[in-house]
Amino acid sequence: MSGAAGGWWRGKTTPAKVETYTRWSFHFFAVIEVAAIGLPVFAEAGAGVAGWLVGMVVVHALLCAVTASRALDWIRGRRERPVRLLWVLTAATCVFAVAAQILRKHGGGGDGTENAAATVFAMILAFGAGTMALGVRNRRRVVAQTTGFAFGAAVVSLPLGVPGPEAVVTAFVVFLSGSFLAATSIFSVWLLNAVYELDEARETRTRLAVAEERLRFGRDLHDVLGRNLAVIALKSELAVQLARRERPEAVEQMIEVQRIAQESQREVRDVVRGYRDADLGVELSGAQGVLTAAGISCEVTGDTGGLPAEVQSALGWVVREATTNVLRHGDAVRCSVGLQMREGCVVLTVENDGVVRRGGEGRGSGLAGLRERLARVDGTLEAGPVGEDGFRVTASVPLSGRTDDAADARVSGVTS
């Protein structure tokens, strides 16, 4: 049971965890209201009066909990502002407060009943003011609302025979307690919104990093094709004009167009091949740069020097796909990339934290493509969760079966 609860909690993103914590904190306020105000009433007031006072506290606490939950949904834009519920809570707070003061003066039971009713009176107003602050966006209105409850406490107390100094003290207690609870509500909402905004900013940075890579590839294609296509268009137009005049030079122009088109095809293939045949050193440096730009601490260790080109290409694709998964899935804070030699094999390990468990492997269909690429060089790929919130991708490629020609195909490595 505890494992299922732990999985439920780990399955949430950081903003969702903060929202759950905030929501249950306000629910716990209701428990505090009942435990700290309602239960001590039984020890102080008479049996009959105590039942009425505790009943009012329990009903008021439940109203506060429901109002807080609906107000948080409104704050997050999931529902409309709970105006009716706020008015119901306001009316219930006022009615229960007045009822507590009436029971204080006419309920009998001596000093114990008076003290218990006075406590219920003040705290119901304070908890009501603190909870209703969630339904108000303007802080000045929150201050005015809390001040109004404190002023109302004094106005209600005096006609019921409460001495002036005691009424003033009660109003002051309501103001301080209500202000504290209202400030707690406002700060909790601010913190929740800040966490969501930071998460949205992180997602934006991730999308920008991916978009930058696409723009780079687009610029490369534009540089290759732009000039050649312009020349092809001009020479084709010239060939059309010459053909209409039945000039033999039209054939020469079309031959030139054909040559430029074939050259463009070759250059495009070179660009695409350079993009598809990933260089491991470049991919390691790029992964560190992209993850760092996305706010993820990335440590890269190992040397790519001396590795065959085909091995570098296969492992480079592993780095590229694993980096994409770190950016798109989970809520990573740390990522480590290591390259090691073990018993005639080169082993690449990519490990990160902040993984959201969704069952299965859960890291995208790209892993299947990576296994196919590694199979071409007799390599293997293992991927799966590690620890409480980690995920590890391990690619292993043997080097003992490589030919001398393949081993001589080396690219400059980088050590990070």
Side-chain angles (χ1 to χ4, degrees):
M1 190 70 176
S2 60
W8 167 79
W9 178 256
R10 288 192 297 270
K12 290 180 174 291
T13 62
T14 297
K17 289 179 180 178
V18 175
E19 181 176 350
T20 302
Y21 171 80
T22 302
R23 192 177 296 274
W24 282 101
S25 296
F26 286 113
H27 292 169
F28 188 66
F29 279 178
V31 177
I32 294 176
E33 184 176 356
V34 174
I37 304 172
L39 296 183
V41 168
F42 284 107
E44 298 183 12
V49 175
W52 284 103
L53 291 175
V54 172
M56 290 189 299
V57 171
V58 171
V59 173
H60 187 264
L62 291 175
L63 269 175
C64 287
V66 174
T67 303
S69 180
R70 298 289 180 85
L72 284 176
D73 289 338
W74 166 63
I75 290 168
R76 292 308 310 153
R78 301 191 185 107
R79 67 167 65 236
E80 295 181 356
R81 183 181 179 186
V83 178
R84 293 182 180 179
L85 190 57
L86 289 170
W87 278 112
V88 170
L89 178 60
T90 302
T93 301
C94 296
V95 170
F96 291 157
V98 172
Q101 283 292 56
I102 293 175
L103 290 173
R104 176 184 179 185
K105 300 305 296 184
H106 305 289
D111 293 339
T113 298
E114 289 189 10
N115 293 335
T119 301
V120 171
F121 170 75
M123 290 299 99
I124 278 182
L125 291 174
F127 274 94
T131 302
M132 281 183 280
L134 291 171
V136 181
R137 292 191 185 276
N138 192 309
R139 296 182 182 179
R140 292 182 179 179
R141 292 184 180 179
V142 173
V143 174
Q145 176 181 278
T146 306
T147 304
F149 271 92
F151 181 75
V155 170
V156 170
S157 299
L158 291 174
L160 294 175
V162 177
E166 184 178 346
V168 173
V169 172
T170 301
F172 187 67
V173 170
V174 171
F175 178 77
L176 288 182
S177 303
S179 298
F180 173 76
L181 293 173
T184 302
S185 300
I186 293 174
F187 176 76
S188 299
V189 169
W190 173 83
L191 180 62
L192 178 62
N193 289 333
V195 171
Y196 270 105
E197 289 174 1
L198 288 174
D199 186 66
E200 291 174 359
R202 180 179 176 276
E203 291 181 358
T204 300
R205 285 187 298 179
T206 300
R207 288 194 296 269
L208 288 175
V210 175
E212 183 178 356
E213 174 63 18
R214 291 175 178 173
L215 287 175
R216 182 194 68 79
F217 184 66
R219 285 194 300 267
D220 290 345
L221 284 179
H222 178 270
D223 293 342
V224 168
L225 293 178
R227 179 184 61 84
N228 289 351
L229 289 177
V231 174
I232 289 175
L234 289 174
K235 287 188 172 293
S236 299
E237 183 178 356
L238 178 58
V240 169
Q241 297 295 332
L242 293 174
R244 288 175 176 174
R245 300 174 185 176
E246 298 182 356
R247 298 283 296 276
E249 291 87 347
V251 177
E252 297 177 1
Q253 294 297 325
M254 290 307 301
I255 293 175
E256 182 67 12
V257 167
Q258 183 183 27
R259 185 191 65 79
I260 296 175
Q262 292 173 346
E263 181 181 349
S264 298
Q265 284 182 317
R266 184 177 64 256
E267 290 179 347
V268 169
R269 283 195 296 268
D270 292 339
V271 171
V272 174
R273 187 181 301 112
Y275 185 75
R276 289 179 176 173
D277 296 338
D279 182 272
L280 182 56
V282 173
E283 292 299 331
L284 289 174
S285 300
Q288 189 172 37
V290 170
L291 293 176
T292 301
I296 302 173
S297 175
C298 181
E299 179 184 4
V300 179
T301 58
D303 188 357
T304 64
L307 295 179
E310 57 183 354
V311 174
Q312 289 210 37
S313 178
L315 294 180
W317 267 99
V318 175
V319 173
R320 183 181 295 178
E321 179 66 23
T323 302
T324 302
N325 285 337
V326 172
L327 291 171
R328 291 181 177 177
H329 305 290
D331 190 17
V333 175
R334 175 192 57 81
C335 180
S336 61
V337 184
L339 192 66
Q340 296 179 338
M341 294 293 299
R342 299 177 187 172
E343 301 178 354
C345 293
V346 56
V347 179
L348 174 71
T349 303
V350 182
E351 183 175 342
N352 64 279
D353 61 359
V355 173
V356 178
R357 302 280 190 247
R358 293 190 177 93
E361 201 167 62
R363 301 293 282 184
S365 59
L367 294 178
L370 292 181
R371 289 191 173 93
E372 294 177 359
R373 289 179 180 274
L374 289 170
R376 299 171 188 170
V377 291
D378 300 325
T380 59
L381 181 75
E382 296 180 359
V386 56
E388 291 186 356
D389 65 343
F391 194 89
R392 180 186 297 156
V393 176
T394 303
S396 178
V397 179
L399 297 178
S400 57
R402 304 292 161 206
T403 62
D404 293 338
D405 293 338
D408 290 337
R410 311 182 191 280
V411 294
S412 298
V414 293
T415 304
S416 301

